[in-house]
Amino acid sequence: MATHHEQDFTASGDIPKPQTKWIWKTFFILVGLTAVEFLFAFTMDAGTLRNAIFIILTIFKAFYIVAEFMHLKHEAKALIWSILLPLALVAWLMVALLAEGSYYYDSITNYFK
Amino acid sequence: MSTSTTLEAPNTGTWDGGNEPLKASYGKLMMWFFLLSDAFTFGSFLIVYGLSRHSHMPYTGKVEDFYFSTEWWPIPEKVFNAFPGLHGMDLPLAFVALMTMILILSSVTMVLAVEAGHRMDKNDVQKWLLWTILFGSIFLGCQAWEWAHFITGDDKGMLLADGTTVFGANLTVNQYGPPLFADLFFFITGFHGTHVFSGVILLIMVFINTVNGVYHKRGHYEMVEKVGLYWHFVDLVWVFVFTFFYLI
């Protein structure tokens, strides 16, 4: 790699102090979101609204994992888009297949009885 | 070499080579695109899960009166309500909550290892890698227990129409609901578990290299970062499996 040079780190004994505040902050956000999910799971009746809440909270969790833990937020713009655009298209494909697949299933089970 | 006097001036444009237009190394980019393709795979699993679930009747009665039947798709919290050592108690989603916590924690220790790598702190990298290996292994153990319990079943089982009782699950029949429910459980959590297992193996390899000072001599801990990306992805997949399989 061009940007990395051979360096002798063993000679210099000074290692910088760890900067871990943001890591624990992200951790507590993830734990908090999971706790909220459990709260909804036990206090709310099952239904479309509850499922929507679950999916939205899941997307929030995914954002924090990918943006902070996987560091994507701090990468070059082109890299961010080359990951996010295909994923957005796949999410679209999933929604479309689920909708169309349900329709197809209803068709073959109801129309050909 | 002194004969080569007419060297052309090198091209220095963005796409002329010799630089990193995306400001990330080749290895990291390839890991990103591998993970993207892996996301497609898990996406297809979720589509199959959604369609299979939709092609079965949902349970429409009261939650308190719920019982297992092949007529409808089971309510997840009625299936996953066991906890090791607490036999016969109804603890909905408690064990899976513990597993989620363990995996999120392992993700945190992984970031800490990557952070230590940036500071060239070999001891810290070793420490956090070991924690990550530990949490990953615990998660695998939890999943083994979960599978064992799922396969063995509870004390009640499910009474079939022909008078026999089914306990636990296999690929053709299970006590929880339609056959596809157990099939998808094995398929999706199994595929995720395989990813965790590969991750643990990769982490052990990276740990051995770290101990031997391979990355320190190389001058950077990028390999820890790349395995870290993979490990976070595994955590990410679990977040989705957790939502779609256990909550919804």
Side-chain angles (χ1 to χ4, degrees), chain A residues 23-32 69, chain B residues 101 104-105 108:
Chain A
I23 297 173
W24 291 107
K25 200 182 133 200
T26 314
F27 168 71
F28 285 120
I29 290 172
L30 288 176
V31 171
F69 283 177
Chain B
M101 282 307 301
I104 292 179
L105 258 181
V108 170

Side-chain angles (χ1 to χ4, degrees), chain A residues 61-62 65-66 70, chain B residues 231-241:
Chain A
K61 274 159 82 176
I65 292 174
V66 176
M70 296 173 88
Chain B
W231 190 258
H232 296 312
F233 177 76
V234 169
D235 184 27
L236 183 70
V237 169
W238 180 256
V239 165
F240 281 90
V241 170

Side-chain angles (χ1 to χ4, degrees), chain A residues 15-42:
Chain A
I15 294 165
K17 282 268 166 287
Q19 304 285 329
T20 56
K21 221 173 140 191
W22 64 275
I23 297 173
W24 291 107
K25 200 182 133 200
T26 314
F27 168 71
F28 285 120
I29 290 172
L30 288 176
V31 171
L33 286 173
T34 311
V36 171
E37 280 183 337
F38 274 101
L39 199 71
F40 277 113
F42 292 127

Side-chain angles (χ1 to χ4, degrees), chain A residues 105, chain B residues 52-60 69-74 178:
Chain A
Y105 177 79
Chain B
S52 308
R53 183 164 179 169
H54 198 82
S55 65
H56 289 85
M57 295 299 287
Y59 175 73
T60 47
S69 164
T70 47
E71 294 290 308
W72 50 69
W73 201 261

Side-chain angles (χ1 to χ4, degrees), chain A residues 1 4 6 9 16-20 22 27 37-38 42 58 62 69-70 76 78-79 90 94 97 102 105, chain B residues 20 22 25 29 32 40 47 54-55 92 97 108 111-112 115 119-120 217-218 220 222 229 232 236 242-243:
Chain A
M1 259 193 62
H4 288 118
E6 286 292 323
F9 282 89
K17 282 268 166 287
Q19 304 285 329
T20 56
W22 64 275
F27 168 71
E37 280 183 337
F38 274 101
F42 292 127
T58 303
F69 283 177
M70 296 173 88
L79 179 52
V90 165
M94 284 172 73
L97 280 179
S102 309
Y105 177 79
Chain B
E20 294 171 347
L22 296 180
S25 72
L29 278 184
W32 269 111
F40 296 171
I47 292 170
H54 198 82
S55 65
V108 170
V111 199
L112 289 168
E115 197 269 345
R119 294 183 288 111
M120 297 301 292
K217 269 187 229 123
R218 197 177 284 171
H220 58 85
E222 199 190 279
L229 282 178
H232 296 312
L236 183 70
F242 173 67
T243 299

